[in-house]
Amino acid sequence: MSKYYSFRILADKISFLIDKKAMIKIGFLALLTLLIFIISAGLGGMPINPLHVLQVFFGGGEDMERLVVMQFRLPRIMVSIFAGMALAVAGGILQGMVRNPLASPDIIGITAGAGAAVVAFLFLFSDHNHSLTVSIKWMPAAAFIGAAIVGFSVYFLSWRNGVTPVRLVLVGIGIAALMQACTTLLMVTGPIYRAAEANIWITGSVSGSSWEKVQILAPWTIILLIIAFLSTRTINVQELGDEVAIGLGSSVERQRFFLLLISTCLVGGAVAFAGGIGFVGLMAPHMARRLVGSSFDALLPTSAFIGAVLVMLADLIGRTAFGPLEVPAGVFTAAIGAPYFIYLLVKTK
Amino acid sequence: MLKTSLSKLTIFILTGFLMVFFIGMSIVFGYTNTSIQLAYEAFTQFNESNEHLIIRTVRLPRALIAAACGASLAITGVLMQTLTKNPLASPGILGINAGAGFAVVLSITIFHISSLQAFAWISFLGAGLAAICVYVISSAGTGGLTPMKITLAGSAISAMFSSLTQGILVTNEAGFEQVLFWLAGSVQGRKLELLAAVSPYLFIGWTAALMIAPRMNVLAMGDDVAVGLGLKLGRIKIFTGIIVILLAGSSVAAAGPIGFIGIIIPHIAKKIIGLDHRWLIPYSALLGASLLLAADIAARYIIMPREVPVGVMTALIGTPFFIYIARKGLSQS
């Protein structure tokens, strides 16, 4: 019996080759995600037994428990899951495309662009009493536009008879610094009240989630994730290097643009609703690679679940561990993620 | 590029005058209008008028700190670019500024430290930590220290420290206001004592950088050649690293993390005065001081009466330059 499953459909247009062992691991991760999902829905200011949580999901439970779980906790957990998945998969795609495990949406400036756009939005549409003149619902739109503008500027500024991964990353780093400077400028010149608010957003928090947001984020992320999973073989080929990819008949530049587009859209959606949660895009694919190896057919789904788990846990710790004080999830993804990430890098020497 | 020593000396002295000119302008121009006459009187016949007070307690420290930090950051840029063979290396991009910034924010908000002497050491600690992290991470894996790996490791470390800084600020809103302007990189409202506190380290750093210049020339020829010519590679790298930490750490302690000076200046300086580090290091220092002074003067006028942090100014000037080098410089390697 072969070690791999292969799927081919639509006259070989879409194909996968997945390690059987990896599939079992992905199954476990999916279960883990579900488990944390249920536990997380039960924990908080009013602890609820996980069994009761399950009852609530299936339509039962007391009214109070229903309210807490369905209205307060579930939306933010859902946003955590989708944002985590989106960031992790976007990071995985970028790492494959750039052929370097240190690339991530944070580093090439996409997140910083969204951050600058949000701060600009908060300042442009505030009146003298510091209240917004347009609905806060437009903030995700601003974030998305910021992410998209940066994504494309980075791509076109690094164009010079094609885009090489090295140039893409370096230009991205430069643009990221510029975006941070713009954000700082707006924060320093604007009212301090807004600056503190903007800072929470930049750090990344899912505290303001509602079902409305989930309704936008969920289909967006799911569709993009499906597209990403369908294009894994493209990424696999890209990771072999330009010469090999061209030799294998890939249209490298077009695919690179396409991959960047997918990851920008994924990040744009995630940061729009969850803010600039850092390190998930860097860390999750890295952890996934250690679990299932570097073939993207297994790597992307694995990173997606790891990303979801990471953000859910970060939010869970942030809203439960410090009593009445709520710490943004982004603080934990950075505080736990960054040292762990360094440890991984040093260990893989 | 200038060839003869005489022409180099001439341009060196001219740039020196330029720096002095900018220091003068920095003292004279700003929200409160003063004149050269007034500035001169403030030091010779001080009469406690408002203008005199501003010149002596606000403008002068500011100009001196900008000059000192600009010079230091430019020197660190030269040293790091030669050391790592990476045209984009600078304390900002490689995360050293972010590390020092994180350490200082941590000490202000959590440990409530306010001693100026302590600031410098805390800043060195942060800078050193970041430098070690970047070095270890980028030398891991195969292929050695390629420019790409160092740059990526630097931005990862930079991202890490700024996330941590942000985390502290989010959970500690009282401290937020206090450090926001500092974190953006600014020479406004700094006291002369702050410069005095870091000045010994700055002088050590500058002198050491000048002493090491001939060896940097050898190092620039490549590690293999340098070893062949009898250079003790490990020792020289550690020594250079210490200078970088001293200079970058002092700058951050005095003015917050100011980026891009360390990238822009070495490139311009190389174009003007050539690749000999014995000229390049002092010349970059003068040029760096001039640029930071000029950026700081411009920062006062852009959104008058408020001020733009000078770190934002250097980023606005520096990014196009950075992208230009990124498109051009690394494409051969």
Side-chain angles (χ1 to χ4, degrees):
Chain A
M1 228 174 100
S2 162
K3 266 181 74 189
Y4 296 94
Y5 277 121
S6 64
F7 301 98
R8 278 164 226 237
I9 40 172
L10 296 176
D12 288 355
K13 284 237 167 53
I14 293 166
S15 62
F16 293 102
L17 189 68
I18 299 188
D19 189 344
K20 282 176 188 165
K21 273 188 201 153
M23 282 181 75
I24 298 171
K25 287 176 186 164
I26 293 172
F28 269 118
L29 276 172
L31 276 179
L32 181 70
T33 312
L34 189 69
L35 193 70
I36 295 175
F37 176 73
I38 294 168
I39 293 172
S40 176
L43 288 176
M46 184 183 121
I48 301 170
N49 188 322
L51 290 174
H52 289 221
V53 173
L54 279 175
Q55 276 178 2
V56 169
F57 287 161
F58 292 110
E62 294 164 31
D63 283 351
M64 191 59 193
E65 288 177 353
R66 273 195 82 74
L67 179 78
V68 169
V69 170
M70 297 304 278
Q71 294 307 317
F72 299 149
R73 289 185 194 156
L74 222 44
R76 63 190 293 167
I77 297 174
M78 297 295 264
V79 169
S80 307
I81 291 177
F82 287 114
M85 285 187 164
L87 290 170
V89 170
I93 294 176
L94 282 174
Q95 292 178 6
M97 195 173 101
V98 175
R99 298 194 287 280
N100 192 308
L102 288 170
S104 81
D106 321 347
I107 282 173
I108 69 163
I110 300 179
T111 321
V118 162
V119 181
F121 173 82
L122 284 175
F123 291 125
L124 281 178
F125 297 109
S126 292
D127 56 21
H128 294 295
N129 306 321
H130 304 324
S131 53
L132 282 175
T133 52
V134 295
S135 166
I136 190 89
K137 281 177 189 159
W138 290 103
M139 199 168 92
F144 184 78
I145 292 169
I149 290 176
V150 166
F152 288 103
S153 325
V154 169
Y155 184 82
F156 288 112
L157 283 172
S158 37
W159 181 275
R160 193 177 168 188
N161 295 324
V163 172
T164 64
V166 179
R167 261 204 309 273
L168 192 74
V169 167
L170 293 178
V171 169
I173 290 172
I175 297 278
L178 181 68
M179 288 298 133
Q180 264 153 22
C182 292
T183 307
T184 313
L185 179 62
L186 287 164
M187 281 167 76
V188 169
T189 52
I192 200 77
Y193 161 76
R194 282 269 173 248
E197 189 176 322
N199 201 37
I200 291 181
W201 189 89
I202 288 170
T203 314
S205 166
V206 291
S207 62
S209 305
S210 63
W211 281 111
E212 277 178 329
K213 291 184 178 176
V214 178
Q215 272 167 10
I216 306 171
L217 181 62
W220 174 261
T221 312
I222 290 170
I223 291 170
L224 283 165
L225 284 178
I226 291 171
I227 299 175
F229 294 152
L230 291 182
S231 42
T232 46
R233 70 173 184 188
T234 316
I235 314 171
N236 277 331
V237 175
Q238 285 259 333
E239 212 190 15
L240 296 173
D242 282 9
E243 286 90 353
V244 178
I246 293 168
L248 287 171
S250 290
S251 39
V252 173
E253 289 299 341
R254 207 172 61 206
Q255 288 172 354
R256 196 169 279 151
F257 179 78
F258 177 67
L259 291 175
L260 185 68
L261 182 70
I262 297 177
S263 45
T264 305
C265 289
L266 277 171
V267 176
V271 290
F273 294 100
I277 294 185
F279 282 91
V280 177
L282 196 66
M283 197 167 42
H286 214 87
M287 295 165 87
R289 195 169 289 121
R290 292 173 67 88
L291 268 180
V292 298
S294 56
S295 167
F296 278 85
D297 304 275
L299 186 65
L300 284 192
T302 313
S303 339
F305 284 119
I306 293 178
V309 167
L310 284 176
V311 179
M312 265 197 298
L313 282 180
D315 182 46
L316 181 63
I317 299 171
R319 67 189 165 86
T320 53
F322 296 91
L325 188 73
E326 195 172 289
V327 183
V331 173
F332 290 99
T333 55
I336 302 169
Y340 178 66
F341 175 69
I342 290 179
Y343 162 76
L344 277 184
L345 281 173
V346 174
K347 220 184 141 196
T348 48
K349 210 171 202 174
Chain B
M1 201 199 290
L2 299 169
K3 293 272 188 277
T4 62
S5 290
L6 186 66
S7 61
K8 282 180 183 174
L9 191 65
T10 320
I11 195 80
F12 189 82
I13 291 168
L14 281 178
T15 312
F17 279 126
L18 183 74
M19 186 189 80
V20 175
F21 171 71
F22 276 132
I23 290 180
M25 275 182 57
S26 180
I27 290 174
V28 172
F29 291 112
Y31 183 64
T32 310
N33 257 324
T34 57
S35 63
I36 298 169
Q37 182 80 43
L38 220 61
Y40 181 70
E41 281 169 15
F43 298 108
T44 50
Q45 28 192 267
F46 183 56
N47 64 5
E48 291 186 11
S49 71
N50 232 353
E51 281 84 2
H52 281 192
L53 265 174
I54 285 175
I55 286 168
R56 283 178 70 135
T57 59
V58 179
R59 295 273 172 78
L60 181 73
R62 184 175 184 166
L64 292 180
I65 288 175
C69 290
S72 307
L73 289 169
I75 294 176
T76 48
V78 174
L79 294 180
M80 290 173 83
Q81 289 181 14
T82 307
L83 190 69
T84 61
K85 321 273 186 302
N86 179 352
L88 292 173
S90 77
I93 294 295
L94 294 197
I96 291 174
N97 281 354
F102 167 72
V104 174
V105 168
L106 192 71
S107 68
I108 295 177
T109 53
I110 309 284
F111 301 115
H112 304 288
I113 291 170
S114 54
S115 144
L116 297 177
Q117 280 296 332
F119 264 7
W121 283 102
I122 289 162
S123 185
F124 295 150
L125 212 65
L129 188 69
I132 292 168
C133 285
V134 172
Y135 187 80
V136 169
I137 289 178
S138 50
S139 52
T142 51
L145 287 163
T146 62
M148 173 77 164
K149 274 165 76 182
I150 298 174
T151 314
L152 268 175
S155 0
I157 292 298
S158 181
M160 174 180 104
F161 280 117
S162 32
S163 307
L164 293 178
T165 308
Q166 213 132 50
I168 295 177
L169 293 182
V170 166
T171 48
N172 187 330
E173 272 190 33
F176 181 60
E177 209 170 325
Q178 202 181 339
V179 294
L180 181 60
F181 210 82
W182 177 83
L183 258 186
S186 169
V187 288
Q188 182 201 14
R190 310 291 154 141
K191 298 214 167 55
L192 212 49
E193 290 87 59
L194 195 57
L195 184 63
V198 295
S199 60
Y201 312 113
L202 285 177
F203 279 119
I204 295 172
W206 292 339
T207 324
L210 287 176
M211 274 164 48
I212 210 176
R215 295 200 179 84
M216 294 311 275
N217 281 340
V218 181
L219 196 63
M221 286 188 257
D223 286 1
D224 298 341
V225 180
V227 172
L229 287 172
L231 201 67
K232 295 215 168 38
L233 213 55
R235 203 187 287 173
I236 204 83
K237 282 185 173 171
I238 290 171
F239 193 63
T240 317
I242 292 172
I243 302 176
V244 166
I245 290 165
L246 274 182
L247 289 178
S250 307
S251 302
V252 173
I258 295 176
F260 288 99
I261 298 273
I263 297 180
I264 308 175
I265 294 299
H267 287 273
I268 299 177
K270 276 177 198 164
K271 279 266 181 311
I272 297 175
I273 211 150
L275 301 171
D276 185 347
H277 282 77
R278 286 169 299 176
W279 284 102
L280 187 59
I281 288 175
Y283 187 68
S284 294
L286 289 182
L287 218 53
S290 308
L291 180 69
L292 195 57
L293 283 163
D296 180 45
I297 296 165
R300 301 172 200 176
Y301 283 92
I302 287 185
I303 48 166
M304 201 116 168
R306 308 193 62 172
E307 290 201 10
V308 181
V310 74
V312 171
M313 285 299 300
T314 56
L316 294 179
I317 307 166
T319 308
F321 194 87
F322 181 92
I323 290 173
Y324 170 75
I325 304 170
R327 281 172 61 88
K328 196 179 170 194
L330 277 190
S331 55
Q332 295 101 355
S333 56

